[in-house]
Amino acid sequence: MVIKTCAITILTAALAFAAQAEDGPARQMEALSRGLTAIHQGGGDVFVSWRLFGDDPSGVAFNLYRQEGGGAPVRLNDAPLDGPTHFQDTGVDFTDPVAYTVRPVVEGEELASCRPFELPAGAPAEPYLSVPVQTPEGYHPNDISVGDLDGDGDYELIVHMVGRGRDNAHSGMTTEPILHAYKLDGTLLWEINLGRNIREGAHYTQFMVYDLDGNGRAEIVCKTADGTVDGVGNVIGDADADHRAENGYILAGPEFLTVFGGETGEALATVNYVPPRHPETRNPTSDQLNEVWGDGYGNRVDRFLACVAYLDGERPSVVMARGYYTRTVLAAWNWRDGELSRVWTFDTASEPELAAYEGQGNHQLAVADVTGDGRDAIIYGAAVIDHDGTGLYSTGWGHGDALHVSQMDPDRPGFQIFMPHEYPDQYGPNAISYRDAETGDLIWGVEGTGDIGRGAAMDIDPRYPGYEMWASGDTGGLYTAQQWTEDEELGPRGVEISENKPRAINFGVWWTGDLLRETLDGTTIAKWNWEAETTDVILSPSGVRSINGTKATPNLSADILGDWREEVIWRSEDNQELRIYMTVEPTEHRFHTLMHDPVYRMSVAWQNVAYNQPPHPGFYLGHHMDPPPRPNIYTVEAE
């Protein structure tokens, strides 16, 4: 491990370590590049944007340079830029290639420049960056994760290529799940084929991409089986084994957990997956599966989730999970010094008092330090598992399809959780619930009937401090974090601020220059017009498609480039290109990259997990916010 030693860190090391000593141990995070990007808007106008690091000194400013053809770089700003980390360049002649570089300025001293970002001669005016991909025939690019695989500070894209998939509830053969790794110029680094003995679908392959051992390069961790082929051609297990039943389910054969190296995709370590389908046999009967999981055909046993969490408060661990409708098992692992070791296992079948945690999981999870002890807990739907593998609490309100975790109320300490629920006999009067993340106490609830399939939480109305929330079904209109009333029988009730609500109940994205979040649904970004109580479309590009069927999600939406606003990645209609759309709207706000906020970074790590929800930061980001806290982190560069 090499702790980041750029000039800025050296100049501010004393301050950084002093802050760490006061706030407790720092968390290991990625040493990123400036993420400098330039979008040609047409007419010679170029929007240039770059990252502010979480460990940059507070007074850092920047000089921006443009170089045309073989000419000398020309500084574009008269005085160092100490505001938002973007710049509107005008009058650019694209006769020759145009390259931009940015240089930090600390205490009047200009430091080394970042790697240049180049626009070719005659660059077309497009609001996106194009990444060509080598999609296998019959497949399309699906969920994407990001990580610095080669240690150069830039994110690579790890793409789940999907062919024919099947939900756990349905029979049928599937294609073999494939993972590709691409640099942003479209260079294919490797392919991992998980093989015929891993079923394709939203609930089977959750792949974690993160620098788990602190060597400055990300690893990939996921479930594997006989016949998985790694990025250099090595086969895991028995290459000839075929454990598929005639109906397509895979309920026999060994199950593994594998760590792959980010640079080559080579399998570095493989262990047995925890938990197995059955504690006594590798090939359980239908009756045995039904006894352990609640059905005998593979619907509940093959529900997988995963996340990365700082369980010790300093270094990341990976947590792999199985089951949430009935039995629930989470296993935490460390990848350090070339060894994959299990830290703890939480199993609701292991102790009678843990039965309260059964049936509480969602189709996704979240990670945050909900108790304030510096160590992460796993928000497993309506229950929370603490950093040491013990149950923190279970609300008993049951499974749901959506989950949002952040500081949603700027005047309430800690984190809050918003989620809709599926089963009326479990959720009772709280079809949608808004609760305290540490205690599970209900802040307010809303009545409803049936399965409340979707719910969203984000700040969309500046008249009310905190997030607004809304959900599908007969749950009313729009609610806000800070307003509720008391009902003698039902308890605290959410108060409607509007009978109307956005039609989009899906993703959110920080896109415009203000602090409100926009809705993201399918291939449309829109802004809630709180005065007219309607939705105004901001971006709805042609030539792209969403993924995951009716879930209509982007391949990824996250702050992966430029300033703190988020990018959206959609696949092209022909599946041969990924388009990274970036905002070109100015903002007056200067924030560090959200990827240096641990809660947000963990959220991006689990974006490929089942029914993913938008990533949220670990602080309140919205109107009426305080300046964001300086993250207590240290970054590591590749050796």
Side-chain angles (χ1 to χ4, degrees):
M1 179 181 75
V2 176
I3 295 179
K4 183 180 175 185
T5 56
C6 70
I8 288 181
T9 306
I10 293 172
L11 287 171
T12 61
L15 292 174
F17 283 115
Q20 292 167 16
E22 292 176 0
D23 299 337
R27 294 191 175 202
Q28 168 201 312
M29 297 289 284
E30 298 155 308
L32 297 173
S33 71
R34 286 291 170 191
L36 179 71
T37 52
I39 296 293
H40 182 201
Q41 299 172 264
D45 292 341
V46 179
F47 188 85
V48 188
S49 180
W50 61 93
R51 287 190 185 105
L52 182 71
F53 297 147
D55 55 356
D56 269 333
S58 59
V60 65
F62 298 91
N63 287 330
L64 182 66
Y65 292 84
R66 181 181 72 208
Q67 183 178 19
E68 298 184 60
V74 176
R75 195 173 80 177
L76 300 178
N77 50 291
D78 295 329
L81 303 168
D82 58 3
T85 56
H86 63 68
F87 186 89
Q88 183 70 59
D89 194 13
T90 59
V92 181
D93 182 356
F94 282 100
T95 303
D96 296 314
V98 176
Y100 292 91
T101 56
V102 67
R103 297 188 177 195
V105 179
V106 178
E107 297 181 354
E109 180 183 353
E110 185 179 75
L111 306 179
S113 67
C114 68
R115 284 189 296 277
F117 183 92
E118 185 172 295
L119 290 168
E126 298 285 7
Y128 60 85
L129 305 178
S130 174
V131 182
V133 292
Q134 300 177 36
T135 305
E137 186 174 356
Y139 284 68
H140 70 262
N142 212 65
D143 288 303
I144 292 176
S145 190
V146 294
D148 181 7
L149 302 182
D150 54 13
D152 66 356
D154 293 333
Y155 282 128
E156 279 74 48
L157 306 180
I158 300 83
V159 185
H160 184 176
M161 292 290 184
V162 170
R164 183 179 63 255
R166 287 289 184 273
D167 186 86
N168 304 53
H170 302 285
S171 62
M173 292 291 183
T174 74
T175 51
E176 299 172 358
I178 293 173
L179 300 179
H180 278 185
Y182 292 95
K183 295 190 74 65
L184 293 183
D185 64 2
T187 300
L188 176 63
L189 297 180
W190 45 254
E191 174 182 293
I192 296 171
N193 188 321
L194 295 178
R196 64 170 72 97
N197 294 308
I198 296 290
R199 206 165 188 239
E200 180 61 87
H203 304 289
Y204 304 103
T205 295
Q206 326 300 351
F207 58 101
M208 293 296 100
V209 181
Y210 210 80
D211 179 11
L212 297 168
D213 60 1
N215 70 351
R217 301 178 180 89
E219 292 81 37
I220 298 88
V221 182
C222 69
K223 182 173 175 283
T224 57
D226 281 339
T228 294
V229 181
D230 73 5
V232 296
N234 297 321
V235 178
I236 295 172
D238 182 353
D240 298 323
D242 187 346
H243 302 295
R244 296 173 296 178
E246 290 185 1
N247 61 5
Y249 284 98
I250 303 169
L251 301 176
E255 301 174 286
F256 306 123
L257 181 67
T258 299
V259 178
F260 299 92
E263 285 190 283
T264 65
E266 180 182 9
L268 303 179
T270 296
V271 297
N272 290 328
Y273 192 88
V274 176
R277 299 183 186 93
H278 192 272
E280 297 177 4
T281 176
R282 179 179 289 177
N283 304 313
T285 65
S286 176
D287 288 342
Q288 288 173 320
L289 283 176
N290 184 62
E291 180 181 0
V292 175
W293 296 101
D295 69 56
Y297 69 97
N299 184 18
R300 290 171 172 81
V301 67
D302 272 358
R303 299 281 179 167
F304 298 97
L305 301 174
C307 64
V308 174
Y310 289 78
L311 301 175
D312 63 5
E314 299 180 52
R315 301 181 67 184
S317 303
V318 64
V319 180
M320 307 300 291
R322 184 174 216 156
Y324 41 76
Y325 285 129
T326 51
R327 182 189 181 195
T328 296
V329 186
L330 291 78
W333 301 83
N334 282 343
W335 170 250
R336 296 173 188 173
D337 302 318
E339 297 290 334
L340 183 59
S341 59
R342 184 149 46 112
V343 181
W344 50 253
T345 302
F346 174 90
D347 186 350
T348 58
S350 64
E351 299 177 31
E353 56 267 30
L354 296 183
Y357 290 81
E358 293 191 346
Q360 303 303 305
N362 272 29
H363 293 302
Q364 70 287 122
L365 40 63
V367 177
D369 172 18
V370 301
T371 63
D373 66 359
R375 295 169 291 189
D376 286 336
I378 294 91
I379 297 91
Y380 210 75
V384 174
I385 313 304
D386 210 353
H387 65 90
D388 57 359
T390 60
L392 187 63
Y393 66 81
S394 174
T395 66
W397 299 329
H399 166 81
D401 286 358
L403 180 70
H404 300 265
V405 180
S406 187
Q407 186 181 14
M408 303 185 189
D409 182 344
D411 298 326
R412 179 184 288 270
F415 294 94
Q416 294 83 49
I417 299 170
F418 174 78
M419 65 176 288
H421 300 273
E422 187 161 322
Y423 301 114
D425 60 340
Q426 288 184 289
Y427 67 63
N430 302 311
I432 57 175
S433 64
Y434 174 51
R435 75 182 196 256
D436 182 274
E438 180 178 8
T439 65
D441 293 340
L442 181 70
I443 301 172
W444 53 252
V446 172
E447 291 184 275
T449 59
D451 176 1
I452 312 303
R454 295 198 178 191
M458 61 194 81
D459 185 19
I460 62 172
D461 190 329
R463 297 172 297 184
Y464 301 89
Y467 279 22
E468 282 70 49
M469 295 89 155
W470 66 103
S472 60
D474 58 343
T475 56
L478 192 63
Y479 301 85
T480 190
Q482 290 192 334
Q483 295 189 12
W484 67 91
T485 186
E486 290 290 336
D487 184 282
E488 190 171 312
E489 294 183 2
L490 304 179
R493 301 289 91 192
V495 174
E496 281 186 334
I497 60 172
S498 171
E499 294 182 356
N500 298 313
K501 58 190 175 185
R503 293 183 63 185
I505 313 176
N506 201 354
F507 264 60
V509 58
W510 279 291
W511 190 264
T512 62
D514 62 25
L515 296 175
L516 299 175
R517 211 169 191 186
E518 285 65 56
T519 62
L520 169 58
D521 189 26
T523 58
T524 298
I525 295 173
K527 194 172 191 66
W528 176 246
N529 184 328
W530 62 88
E531 294 175 324
E533 297 187 339
T534 57
T535 299
D536 300 327
V537 173
I538 294 175
L539 177 68
S540 187
S542 60
V544 295
R545 302 178 72 176
S546 60
I547 60 169
N548 292 320
T550 59
K551 303 305 176 190
T553 59
N555 296 83
L556 181 68
S557 178
D559 175 23
I560 61 171
L561 292 167
D563 66 24
W564 61 275
R565 271 87 59 82
E566 295 171 297
E567 287 69 52
V568 181
I569 306 179
W570 285 298
R571 59 178 172 133
S572 62
E573 289 182 335
D574 64 3
N575 295 314
Q576 300 305 305
E577 176 189 20
L578 295 169
R579 297 181 181 178
I580 306 176
Y581 283 81
M582 303 181 63
T583 184
V584 293
E585 296 195 30
T587 180
E588 64 182 34
H589 302 287
R590 170 186 164 111
F591 298 149
H592 62 75
T593 174
L594 297 181
M595 296 296 263
H596 273 171
D597 175 76
V599 174
Y600 186 90
R601 185 65 185 90
M602 298 302 96
S603 298
V604 174
W606 53 252
Q607 279 302 294
N608 64 83
V609 173
Y611 300 167
N612 55 317
Q613 298 289 281
H616 295 286
F619 58 91
Y620 173 68
L621 202 169
H623 273 262
H624 311 92
M625 72 178 289
D626 293 325
R630 181 180 176 87
N632 186 20
I633 64 173
Y634 68 93
T635 56
V636 295
E637 291 181 342
E639 298 180 357

